[in-house]
């Protein structure tokens, strides 16, 4: 397993499909995962520190975990099959719960939980970005600094 950081979310054109971009912490691979608009908004809210007036689903999940005195230890992106990614929530009790990566990432950002990805997933779906292409990545980071959750509203 390799630790990854959440770079952010964006809408891919012309399909208007949101994706979350993960980056290998100690490497040069990036992992784009197509997600739904609701999950993109949840991830963007968490990254921007937006607190909604009423708890959203991922806020509720965080509160339930706390109320049960449990702790989310790790989010694992475990496999990709036919373009579909799979994840597991790993709790301090040893319990593991299957989940979508988008929900897992939104929850991890709210709880400060580390995210790891199976080496096989990075080998299959990861994109290596050599240092000379980092300026393109920097442009993407700049985009992420200015994107708002409202950009993901389906019209």
């Amino acid at each position: 397993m390799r630790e990854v950081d959440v770079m952010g979310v964006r809408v891919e054109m012309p399909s208007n499909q949101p994706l979350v971009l993960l980056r290998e912490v100690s490497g040069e691979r990036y992992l784009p995962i197509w997600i739904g608009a609701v999950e993109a908004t949840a991830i963007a809210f968490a990254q921007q520190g937006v607190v909604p007036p009423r708890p959203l689903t991922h806020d509720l999940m965080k509160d339930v975990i706390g109320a049960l005195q449990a702790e989310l230890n790790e989010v694992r992106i475990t496999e990709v099959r036919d373009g579909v990614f799979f994840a597991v929530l790993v709790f301090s009790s040893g319990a593991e719960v299957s989940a979508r990566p988008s929900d897992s990432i939104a929850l991890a950002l709210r709880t400060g939980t580390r995210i790891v990805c199976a080496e096989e997933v990075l080998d299959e779906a990861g994109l290596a970005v050599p240092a000379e292409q980092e300026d393109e990545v920097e442009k993407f980071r700049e985009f992420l600094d200015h994107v708002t959750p409202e950009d993901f509203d389906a019209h």
Side-chain angles (χ1 to χ4, degrees):
M1 291 283 183
R2 310 279 290 187
E3 187 169 0
V4 294
D5 283 334
V6 180
M7 300 300 297
V9 290
R10 72 170 290 177
V11 174
E12 188 62 31
M13 296 309 226
S15 68
N16 212 27
Q17 177 70 35
L19 65 84
V20 61
L21 184 65
L22 306 176
R23 181 190 68 198
E24 186 178 23
V25 169
S26 57
E28 61 178 26
R29 292 178 290 186
Y30 288 78
L31 183 65
I33 301 176
W34 301 105
I35 60 176
V38 171
E39 293 78 14
T41 300
I43 291 168
F45 271 4
Q47 284 197 302
Q48 295 174 6
V50 174
V51 179
R54 303 278 299 142
L56 299 176
T57 304
H58 302 96
D59 302 307
L60 173 63
M61 289 173 60
K62 175 188 173 208
D63 292 346
V64 168
I65 291 168
L68 295 174
Q69 298 179 343
E71 186 177 326
L72 181 60
N73 275 4
E74 191 171 73
V75 164
R76 296 180 184 156
I77 300 171
T78 56
E79 64 181 302
V80 57
R81 262 186 276 140
D82 300 322
V84 177
F85 290 83
F86 295 83
V88 174
L89 304 174
V90 180
F91 292 90
S92 55
S93 66
E96 295 186 4
V97 177
S98 178
R100 297 182 305 177
S102 55
D103 290 326
S104 302
I105 291 165
L107 186 57
L109 290 172
R110 283 165 173 75
T111 58
T113 303
R114 82 184 205 128
I115 303 168
V116 296
C117 184
E119 187 76 36
E120 300 79 26
V121 172
L122 286 166
D123 288 344
E124 182 176 337
L127 307 170
V129 179
E132 61 270 11
Q133 292 180 8
E134 277 294 319
D135 57 335
E136 287 298 316
V137 174
E138 191 55 43
K139 289 179 191 173
F140 181 67
R141 284 189 189 122
E142 189 173 315
F143 165 83
L144 294 175
D145 289 340
H146 298 94
V147 70
T148 66
E150 290 75 31
D151 294 332
F152 299 103
D153 286 342
H155 297 292

